[in-house]
Amino acid sequence: FYQAGEEAEPALIFGSSFEQELAERLGVPLVRYDAPVFDEVCLTNSPYVGGEGVLRLLETIFNAVWRGRGIKGALYQ
């Protein structure tokens, strides 16, 4: 899994908290799109489907990219 991720040179990784180590290794932002998420707090049930869900997903992606601006990786190559 790690080897495939390194060969793909992703700009973002979509996954769960389990993919945090891979994202750090590659120096790219992680969008926690899948369960389990154990390194963030989620107090509401806000899905990524439907009209509002798509806006929430875009917001999550933009925030992940924004937070990851200081890290090096495929996004800035």
Side-chain angles (χ1 to χ4, degrees), residues 5 10-11 14-15 21 24 29-31 43 45 48-49 54 58 61 67 69 72-73:
F14 290 84
E21 184 180 338
E24 289 174 0
L30 171 64
V31 176
L43 301 175
N45 183 16
Y48 291 134
V49 296
V54 169
L58 289 173
I61 293 168
R67 279 191 305 269
R69 288 184 328 153
K72 294 182 180 179

Side-chain angles (χ1 to χ4, degrees), residues 35-74:
V37 175
F38 48 78
D39 55 352
E40 286 187 351
V41 175
C42 182
L43 301 175
T44 62
N45 183 16
S46 300
Y48 291 134
V49 296
E52 288 185 32
V54 169
L55 293 176
R56 181 170 183 270
L57 177 60
L58 289 173
E59 182 179 71
T60 302
I61 293 168
F62 292 145
N63 284 324
V65 170
W66 187 258
R67 279 191 305 269
R69 288 184 328 153
I71 59 177
K72 294 182 180 179

Side-chain angles (χ1 to χ4, degrees), residues 1-10 26:
F1 181 72
Y2 280 80
Q3 183 179 359
E6 290 170 353
E7 290 172 1
E9 297 182 13
L26 297 177

